[in-house]
Amino acid sequence: MDAMVQSFERKQSVAIVGGGPGGYEAALSAAQLGADVTLVERAGVGGSAVITDVVPSKTLIATADAAVAIRNASSLGVQLFAKDDRGKPLTPEVAINLAAVNQRLLSLARQQSDDMRASLLEAGVRIISGHGRLDGNGAVVVSTEAGGTDFDRVEAETLVVSVGASPRELPSAKPDGERILTWTQLYNMKSVPSHLIVVGSGVTGAEFASAYMNLGAKVTLVSSRDQVLPGEDQDAAAVLERVFQRGGMTLLAKARADSVVNTGDGVTVTLSDGRTIEGSHCLMAVGSIPNTAGIGLEQAGVQMTASGHIRVNRVARTSVPNIYAAGDCTNFYPLASVASMQGRQAIFHALGDIVIPLETRRITANIFTAPEIATVGFSEQDVTEGRIAGKVRKLPLSANPRAKMQGITDGFVKLIAREGSGTVMGGVIVGPKASELIYPIAIAVERRLTVDQVARVFAVYPSLTSSITDAARAMHIVDRDDPGED
């Protein structure tokens, strides 16, 4: 009997490779559930998402937003003047000290990483600094460098892989960290580039093109497709293109970069049609590749995609029952918030807690351009192409009283509801702080609320959120079987 009790009380062991959002949440969740947890991380807790990607890039964007707010203050009646030596007013220009901006954002990223590390240590997680790889399906070995000499071996019943992804590099446009840059190398620049050429018009390319334009750089955006943000809501992409062009950005659609050359004092980008573009710097934003090579996945029997991503199901489980994976290294949705959720789901499933499988249609995403673009659920394209029987309502933010007060002229709220029942199936918000405004629509999608239920919620007047209730009210569904509330 005593042996049975001792066996029951024995802590389950969990080893995690990679300390990004997925690995961090997995480690924290496992510790909270009483497991013996070891986390292996080579760069620092938080991984590239915190140290070189999400946190620094969004901090840079916040600085760019502040610069725009100052420039546009005069439209609200706020004027900034300096006086010359004769007492006459001068209109000052907004100056960006990029070296100071980059120093601040990297400091904030490191501080966030340190805070996350402290949280894990407080929870009782063992943290090992080094490169981890699987040794079969029951252990992780750690070395000082990739392929180096092993210095530690951690046996565990549950393994979680959360190794993230790295910027994709093209042989004909090899990043050098000086003129030809990936998004992890931008923060070494000491001043705003005089002419930044961005190759790639996906989320990363659009975000940095927007930020550096608003910081004062001349920007050329090279897109191989016919619009910015291919695959996103077309109305949202159209708004963003108008804003980009109004801000002076050059958009080159259906243009593919064949090569990028560092000329010493600038760059030359050669397009597939023979055209060349001269600039001071070039950002290569042509996707990412998972960091899954050489870490023992195939040897452990884990199924992979042709692109090197780890195949996982909706609870982040791989083809090997006790091995889970989370984040950009998987074939799921490449978002930090999704990685965090996958990390928690993996541990809940492995340790026997309650698990609700992830559904991609309930994932909220945001693009941190100016204006921001937030989406959740089904899209208008799903309606027009017949994947769902629905209807769409779009209201421009320019009609919103709070938007008028704040000088907001670009953007809209769009709701997608199921035909007949009026159940909210999706939504799009384009505007300032869309990442915050999308939350009530995300709740409606998650809880399967109808447009009438959303419309019954009181929105503050005046507020930007009232556009959500206005759109819902315009989609009113008459239901004779619903007596409402007394």
Side-chain angles (χ1 to χ4, degrees):
M1 183 68 176
D2 290 343
M4 291 179 62
V5 172
Q6 185 177 3
S7 175
F8 180 79
E9 292 179 347
R10 182 181 60 82
K11 287 186 175 182
Q12 296 192 55
S13 54
V14 177
I16 301 162
V17 180
Y24 170 78
E25 289 292 342
L28 198 59
S29 298
Q32 290 170 342
L33 292 177
D36 181 7
V37 188
T38 300
L39 173 68
V40 180
E41 169 57 43
R42 60 183 174 83
V45 176
S48 61
V50 169
I51 298 172
T52 60
D53 191 355
V54 180
V55 171
S57 67
K58 275 47 177 183
T59 306
L60 178 75
I61 290 167
T63 300
D65 290 344
V68 172
I70 294 172
R71 291 193 189 102
N72 295 340
S74 60
S75 66
L76 303 180
V78 178
Q79 297 179 322
L80 304 177
F81 289 104
K83 294 181 179 179
D84 61 15
D85 53 2
R86 294 174 293 177
K88 293 185 177 181
L90 300 172
T91 302
E93 295 182 0
V94 176
I96 304 297
N97 184 338
L98 192 62
V101 170
N102 285 340
Q103 182 180 10
R104 174 179 178 268
L105 62 85
L106 291 176
S107 175
L108 286 175
R110 180 53 62 182
Q111 180 183 339
Q112 179 65 22
S113 175
D114 291 344
D115 289 345
M116 294 170 71
R117 179 184 178 86
S119 295
L120 292 180
L121 292 175
E122 184 179 352
V125 176
R126 177 191 179 201
I127 302 175
I128 303 177
S129 297
H131 293 256
R133 71 178 188 277
L134 304 190
D135 185 9
N137 67 344
V140 172
V141 293
V142 189
S143 60
T144 54
E145 59 185 20
T149 304
D150 300 339
F151 69 84
D152 207 341
R153 186 175 190 274
V154 181
E155 295 185 355
E157 296 158 291
T158 299
L159 305 180
V160 180
V161 180
S162 182
V163 292
S166 298
R168 179 169 168 253
E169 297 182 2
L170 302 181
S172 59
K174 199 73 174 175
D176 56 23
E178 296 179 358
R179 296 284 178 178
I180 308 172
L181 310 165
T182 68
W183 62 80
T184 66
Q185 299 170 330
L186 287 168
Y187 311 113
N188 295 324
M189 291 192 292
K190 302 302 181 185
S191 59
V192 175
S194 58
H195 182 187
L196 177 66
I197 302 170
V198 179
V199 177
S201 62
V203 173
T204 300
E207 286 185 345
F208 280 111
S210 176
Y212 280 98
M213 179 187 75
N214 289 331
L215 288 172
K218 178 183 178 182
V219 176
T220 297
L221 182 59
V222 180
S223 173
S224 62
R225 308 288 284 274
D226 56 0
Q227 70 167 29
V228 174
L229 298 174
E232 298 293 332
D233 182 271
Q234 291 188 359
D235 290 337
V239 170
L240 195 62
E241 286 191 351
R242 288 198 301 270
V243 172
F244 281 177
Q245 291 171 331
R246 191 171 66 219
M249 187 184 301
T250 300
L251 302 179
L252 298 180
K254 296 183 179 179
R256 187 176 298 275
D258 268 1
S259 67
V260 183
V261 176
N262 183 341
T263 61
D265 58 354
V267 295
T268 299
V269 177
T270 302
L271 304 181
S272 57
D273 61 7
R275 287 180 294 168
T276 60
I277 312 166
E278 307 289 336
S280 63
H281 298 78
C282 179
L283 167 63
M284 298 299 298
V286 289
S288 60
I289 56 174
N291 299 323
T292 55
I295 62 171
L297 290 164
E298 293 88 345
Q299 293 84 347
V302 176
Q303 291 183 3
M304 316 284 286
T305 68
S307 60
H309 291 85
I310 303 170
R311 294 187 183 275
V312 294
N313 63 14
R314 293 198 294 144
V315 294
R317 198 179 199 181
T318 72
S319 57
V320 179
N322 70 312
I323 300 178
Y324 296 77
D328 291 6
C329 63
T330 73
N331 64 333
F332 210 65
Y333 220 90
L335 291 174
S337 58
V338 173
S340 297
M341 186 67 78
Q342 282 184 298
R344 292 192 293 271
Q345 295 281 64
I347 293 302
F348 292 164
H349 188 267
L351 302 187
D353 204 344
I354 297 173
V355 182
I356 300 175
L358 294 174
E359 292 186 23
T360 56
R361 290 297 183 184
R362 297 185 181 183
I363 294 172
T364 305
N366 191 73
I367 302 171
F368 289 86
T369 47
E372 294 182 5
I373 299 172
T375 57
V376 65
F378 285 91
S379 67
E380 183 173 6
Q381 188 172 359
D382 291 321
V383 176
T384 57
E385 296 182 357
R387 283 186 284 273
I388 62 168
K391 58 181 183 177
V392 180
R393 183 72 180 190
K394 185 179 78 169
L395 293 181
L397 280 183
S398 58
N400 180 285
R402 187 66 183 275
K404 288 186 175 74
M405 298 170 193
Q406 296 178 342
I408 298 170
T409 58
D410 300 299
F412 59 82
V413 169
K414 179 185 290 186
L415 287 183
I416 295 97
R418 188 175 291 281
E419 192 74 50
S421 68
T423 303
V424 179
M425 302 296 291
V428 182
I429 295 182
V430 179
K433 307 298 182 185
S435 52
E436 311 289 345
L437 295 171
I438 196 68
Y439 189 63
I441 302 179
I443 292 176
V445 171
E446 169 67 27
R447 305 310 302 168
R448 301 182 185 277
L449 302 180
T450 67
V451 289
D452 284 347
Q453 289 172 320
V454 172
R456 289 174 193 151
V457 178
F458 282 92
V460 171
Y461 182 87
S463 69
L464 296 181
T465 51
S466 66
S467 285
I468 298 174
T469 55
D470 288 346
R473 191 175 298 114
M475 303 174 81
H476 173 56
I477 303 297
V478 178
D479 186 353
R480 300 303 181 188
D481 296 327
D482 180 8
E485 298 182 9
D486 295 334

